[in-house]
Amino acid sequence: MALWRFAIAGFCFVGTYEAWSKPQFWVYFTFQTGFVLGIVMLWAGAATLLKGIQPPAWPKGCLTVYAIVTALVAFFLMPPDDPAYVPQVIGIMTNTMLHKIAPIMAVIDFVLFDPHRRFRWHYMFSWLAYFPAYLVFVLARATIWPGSGPAAGGSPYPYDFINLDALGWQGFGISCGKLAIAFFVISLVVWLLDRALPSKALLG
């Protein structure tokens, strides 16, 4: 179990390493949540190995929600990565590590290795606080540094579905509303899954 968690952390850190030389990449939702997931999984792996204190339930559940969001966006909303432009480590594209492998492993970790029935009812709402904060960050950054990238042509908007310049305020609001509903549904599913699973970890 410790090695599994260290592997998730490794995929997260390798998947985000480009941002240390290209800081504009930190505007990506997946880079932010992926890096935090790596830190929490490193903590969880060390705690498992040393029989120490595990990460609290709230951040573990929150990151599980955002791991699912990351994977769904990668599989269904984003175009396929081009191996000619995306770095590869051990033959795997770093975007694949960050957007697909690490999130899937994180969900498996939550289901199999975490104790359950720890989430309070309000967690499904408080987990969502990051989403509006992220949108405010993206809009503020775009206003202050309009040509800062990382998107093509220097656009400061990291994703087409929150590109205010392309969508306009109405389209932006509709898109954000749809995303908020999707986030809440995923949050609710994670909360219900936690309630449905036995309190003791299935493995480990």
Side-chain angles (χ1 to χ4, degrees):
M1 182 166 61
L3 290 177
W4 178 267
R5 289 171 165 174
F6 287 142
I8 297 172
F11 283 127
C12 289
F13 294 144
V14 173
T16 57
Y17 89 91
E18 276 190 287
W20 297 111
S21 59
K22 300 175 182 177
Q24 66 270 27
F25 279 23
W26 287 117
V27 73
Y28 285 115
F29 176 93
T30 51
F31 272 66
Q32 295 179 17
T33 57
F35 185 73
V36 176
L37 175 63
I39 292 172
V40 170
M41 283 300 176
L42 189 63
W43 174 2
T48 301
L49 191 64
L50 302 174
K51 301 189 184 303
I53 299 173
Q54 288 287 338
W58 189 91
K60 199 73 185 337
C62 181
L63 288 166
T64 300
V65 169
Y66 290 121
I68 295 171
V69 170
T70 295
L72 290 176
V73 168
F75 279 110
F76 298 110
L77 293 181
M78 301 301 293
D81 291 317
D82 186 346
Y85 295 98
V86 178
Q88 297 186 36
V89 177
I90 59 171
I92 304 172
M93 288 186 289
T94 54
N95 277 356
T96 301
M97 293 182 182
L98 183 64
H99 299 140
K100 297 177 181 178
I101 297 175
I104 291 171
M105 290 180 69
V107 173
I108 293 171
D109 182 88
F110 162 70
V111 172
L112 296 182
F113 301 138
D114 278 356
H116 297 288
R117 302 183 182 179
R118 301 185 297 162
F119 297 159
R120 299 185 179 184
W121 67 268
H122 55 80
Y123 284 10
M124 72 179 86
F125 300 103
S126 58
W127 287 334
L128 304 181
Y130 170 65
F131 176 58
Y134 175 76
L135 292 176
V136 170
F137 162 71
V138 169
L139 291 174
R141 179 180 177 275
T143 301
I144 298 170
W145 296 293
S148 56
S155 172
Y157 296 100
Y159 305 105
D160 290 340
F161 47 83
I162 56 169
N163 186 330
L164 179 61
D165 291 341
L167 297 173
W169 280 108
Q170 182 177 359
F172 179 82
I174 292 171
S175 181
C176 290
K178 291 178 179 178
L179 289 170
I181 292 170
F183 274 50
F184 176 71
V185 170
I186 294 168
S187 183
L188 177 61
V189 168
V190 169
W191 187 86
L192 290 173
L193 182 59
D194 177 73
R195 303 304 298 174
L197 289 168
S199 57
K200 186 177 180 181
L202 296 177
L203 296 176

